[in-house]
Amino acid sequence: MDFEFDEDQRLLQQMVRETVTRSRSLPEEELWARYRELGWLEAPPVELAIVLEELGYVADPTPFLATATWFAPLAGRLPEGAGTAVCDGTGRFVLDADRADEIALVTRDGVVVVKGPDVDAERVETFDPTLHVAHVNVPGLVAGVPDLALMGLAISTVGACRRILDMAVAHVKQRVQFGVPIGSFQAVKHKAADMYVAIERARALAYFSALTIAEDDPRRGRAAAMAKAAAGECQRVVFQHGLQLFGAMGFTWENDLQIYLKRAKAGDLLLGTAAEHRRALLT
C-alpha cells in the first residue's frame, strides 16, 4: 500500500480546501447542492476520506457524511437527494434520519431502502445544534455497520480535531501573559505536541482504513474499528487540551472553538465510542 498522496490526490485536497473555505458562509441547501454538483459523493474511498477530512475541518452541516458513508455502501448506490442508514440495530441516534430522502434499513431480511418520509424518525436535541440526529422506530432491525461509515466518522473527527489544534496554536501565539506569549511556556508546548501526535496517529489509521476498503483488503473490518477507536482517543486529548489552552472560554457561544469541540465529541459517540471499538478488536 502507498501511504503518500499522489499528485491527483494532493490537487483534490487543495481544491476541496479552497472550495469549502469560499463556500462555508453559504446556506446549507446551497452547500449541499454544490457538493453534489462537484461529484464528491462519487469519490472512491481514499479520495472520499480526503473530502471528509476537509468537511470535518469546517464542521460541515450538510448530510454529506451520512449520504456517502452510511447510505451508499449499504444501498449500493447514491440516494435521490440525501440519504442515511439505520445500521447498528438499535435505531437510536441515526445521523440525518430526520431529513433524509431515502433510508437504508439493515433488517433480518437484508438491506431495505425506504423513503425517508415513510419512516417514523424523531429528531433528538443534542449539544451540537448543527448536527441532525434522530431516533428511528422500525421493527426487525439488526446490526450491520459498514466499514465506510466507521472510516467516515473517524476521518471527519480528525478534521475537526485539526481545526481545534490550529485555533489553539493561533490563540497561544497571541495571548500574552507575564509579558510573553503563553505559547512560549513549556507546558503549553507539551499540550500542543500531544494534540498533534494524537491527530497524526488517528489520521494515519483513518487513511489506512480507507486504503483497505478501496482494495477490499481482508483487514478492512479491523482497520475500520482501529480508525474509529483512534479517532475517539484523539478527540479526548484534543478536547481536553484545546479547552485548557483557551482558558475554558472555548466552550462559550462567543468562541467558535465550541463548534469543533462538539463536532469532535459527536464523532466519537456515533456508532460506538473508542472504548467499544477497542473491546471489539479483542474478540
Side-chain angles (χ1 to χ4, degrees):
M1 290 184 177
D2 187 356
F3 286 91
E4 295 292 333
F5 289 162
D6 60 27
E7 183 177 355
D8 289 341
Q9 290 167 337
R10 288 193 293 272
L11 288 172
L12 172 65
Q13 184 183 55
Q14 180 181 352
M15 184 269 287
V16 174
R17 285 181 178 177
E18 292 174 353
T19 300
V20 297
T21 299
R22 291 195 306 265
S23 306
R24 56 183 307 185
S25 61
L26 293 175
E28 186 178 311
E29 295 77 12
E30 292 184 31
L31 275 177
W32 177 231
R34 178 163 297 185
Y35 297 162
R36 295 182 64 191
E37 180 182 347
L38 289 168
W40 291 353
L41 287 166
E42 302 169 11
V46 176
E47 287 72 18
L48 181 60
I50 292 172
V51 174
L52 288 171
E53 182 180 359
E54 300 309 318
L55 293 183
Y57 188 84
V58 297
D60 174 57
T62 74
F64 187 98
L65 177 63
T67 301
T69 68
W70 291 40
F71 179 89
L74 288 173
R77 61 173 176 83
L78 291 174
E80 297 178 2
T84 190
V86 184
C87 52
D88 67 352
T90 67
R92 296 179 61 78
F93 303 107
V94 181
L95 187 61
D96 290 317
D98 62 308
R99 59 175 176 174
D101 297 293
E102 293 188 272
I103 300 178
L105 306 173
V106 182
T107 71
R108 301 186 188 95
D109 300 321
V111 176
V112 178
V113 177
V114 298
K115 298 293 184 182
D118 295 338
V119 175
D120 180 14
E122 179 183 358
R123 186 176 181 183
V124 181
E125 290 188 10
T126 67
F127 50 77
D128 183 351
T130 67
L131 197 68
H132 285 249
V133 178
H135 294 332
V136 175
N137 299 311
V138 177
L141 296 172
V142 297
V145 180
D147 298 332
L148 197 66
L150 297 181
M151 183 280 291
L153 283 170
I155 196 63
S156 297
T157 301
V158 167
C161 289
R162 270 185 45 223
R163 183 62 175 271
I164 295 167
L165 175 59
D166 287 350
M167 294 180 72
V169 169
H171 175 72
V172 299
K173 284 181 177 179
Q174 67 180 11
R175 175 68 184 270
V176 175
Q177 195 75 19
F178 306 113
V180 295
I182 63 173
S184 64
F185 301 150
Q186 188 176 37
V188 171
K189 292 178 181 179
H190 284 178
K191 290 184 182 298
D194 288 345
M195 294 165 72
Y196 177 80
V197 170
I199 290 169
E200 288 303 301
R201 173 176 177 269
R203 187 170 185 265
L205 284 169
Y207 277 106
F208 175 68
S209 174
L211 281 166
T212 61
I213 295 169
E215 299 187 7
D216 198 20
D217 190 295
R219 297 171 293 177
R220 57 183 289 172
R222 290 186 63 81
M226 290 167 61
K228 187 66 166 63
E233 293 163 356
C234 170
Q235 68 79 29
R236 179 180 57 80
V237 173
V238 172
F239 192 109
Q240 178 180 348
H241 291 348
L243 197 62
Q244 288 179 340
L245 292 180
F246 267 83
M249 70 179 180
F251 211 73
T252 63
W253 286 105
E254 291 77 12
N255 194 309
D256 284 350
L257 185 71
Q258 50 93 14
I259 298 171
Y260 307 100
L261 292 172
K262 293 172 181 177
R263 187 56 62 93
K265 177 61 69 176
D268 178 43
L269 296 174
L270 289 169
L271 296 185
T273 64
E276 291 177 70
H277 287 285
R278 283 199 304 269
R279 285 195 297 269
L281 287 166
L282 296 175
T283 60

